[in-house]
Amino acid sequence: MIVFTGVAGSGKSKQGKMLADRFGLPWLSTGEFLRMLIHGDKRKSMLEGKLLGDKEIISLVQRMFSVIDSSHEFVLDGFPRTVAQADWLLNQAKHGQLDITMVLHLKASEQTVTERLLKRGRQDDTEAAIKERFREYEEAILPILDHFKEAGVAVIDVSADKSIKEVHSEIVEAYNGKKSAH
Ligand code: AMP
């Protein structure tokens, strides 16, 4: 499994899909899955940029993993976003249920993500929701990355302020390096 992390607007979904297409891998996204399933008040809170509860997300992720062959390589987008979610994933890996090849962390400035998201114009891309997601991400991401590092997982930082092509090349290089080391 290749885990893509990064704030909304860092290009993590686009880059994850590009990597998946290049190497013929499945691409799973919690955000996309939720948008297919969630209605009512929860949908509203997603649109405000608020995270859904860990228990619910973990059960969703389990369901996502069950529809693919999770013993083969795949790309995971949008998860984990909290320390509890990261712990759950690491625990699965520890018990041999899953294999984490690497964690790609797309680092982007608040200015870059705000500009990109306002252009993208999804309904949850308001200035307030962008600010909320950036704050949530800044608070959550470092402890999550530390947990992965402590567990011996390779965490690779890529600057997402560069062009799509440059970021993609860096990711491909990192993945090829990991694949040959595996
Ligand atoms: P995304 O498409 O990744 O930006 O996700 C859209 C929305 O789905 C987020 O703002 C959250 O409300 C919800 N969501 C997606 N992934 C998670 C997660 N791992 N934990 C909690 N909420 C999530």
Side-chain angles (χ1 to χ4, degrees):
M1 174 198 329
I2 307 159
V3 178
F4 271 74
T5 59
V7 68
S10 62
K12 75 178 157 59
S13 300
K14 182 166 189 74
Q15 291 293 341
K17 281 184 199 162
M18 282 170 82
L19 187 75
D21 285 345
R22 184 157 182 156
F23 291 95
L25 308 172
W27 176 82
L28 303 181
S29 154
T30 48
E32 291 287 308
F33 217 62
L34 288 166
R35 279 188 287 278
M36 288 188 229
L37 300 173
I38 300 290
H39 53 86
D41 286 347
K42 274 193 200 145
R43 179 117 196 156
K44 276 192 207 139
S45 92
M46 276 177 69
L47 291 176
E48 285 160 12
K50 290 188 188 122
L51 289 186
L52 300 192
D54 288 330
K55 249 179 127 174
E56 185 174 6
I57 291 290
I58 288 168
S59 113
L60 175 95
V61 165
Q62 281 174 313
R63 277 191 277 158
M64 283 168 66
F65 288 174
S66 73
V67 295
I68 59 154
D69 178 358
S70 56
S71 65
H72 283 134
E73 190 67 282
F74 65 96
V75 173
L76 181 60
D77 176 278
F79 183 93
R81 270 183 157 94
T82 65
V83 169
Q85 293 175 13
D87 279 343
W88 177 82
L89 200 62
L90 283 168
N91 215 29
Q92 296 287 304
K94 206 168 101 188
H95 291 97
Q97 313 282 70
L98 297 163
D99 186 28
I100 307 173
T101 308
M102 62 178 179
V103 174
L104 272 157
H105 175 215
L106 265 69
K107 290 178 88 164
S109 64
E110 184 160 3
Q111 195 191 339
T112 303
V113 303
T114 308
E115 279 167 17
R116 283 188 192 160
L117 291 178
L118 289 179
K119 247 188 249 161
R120 181 174 77 171
R122 214 166 71 186
Q123 217 192 318
D124 54 348
D125 293 334
T126 60
E127 286 210 37
I130 294 167
K131 250 196 168 49
E132 170 70 19
R133 283 192 300 228
F134 199 84
R135 190 197 52 74
E136 159 244 306
Y137 158 82
E138 291 259 279
E139 271 176 25
I141 196 69
L142 284 179
I144 291 174
L145 296 180
D146 283 346
H147 272 238
F148 279 118
K149 286 179 198 159
E150 279 161 23
V153 175
V155 175
I156 294 155
D157 286 332
V158 176
S159 163
D161 291 330
K162 294 183 189 165
S163 74
I164 290 171
K165 246 178 117 179
E166 280 173 300
V167 175
H168 178 61
S169 300
E170 275 189 42
I171 292 173
V172 168
E173 207 177 301
Y175 180 53
N176 279 331
K178 266 281 142 211
K179 264 203 318 181
S180 50
H182 243 58

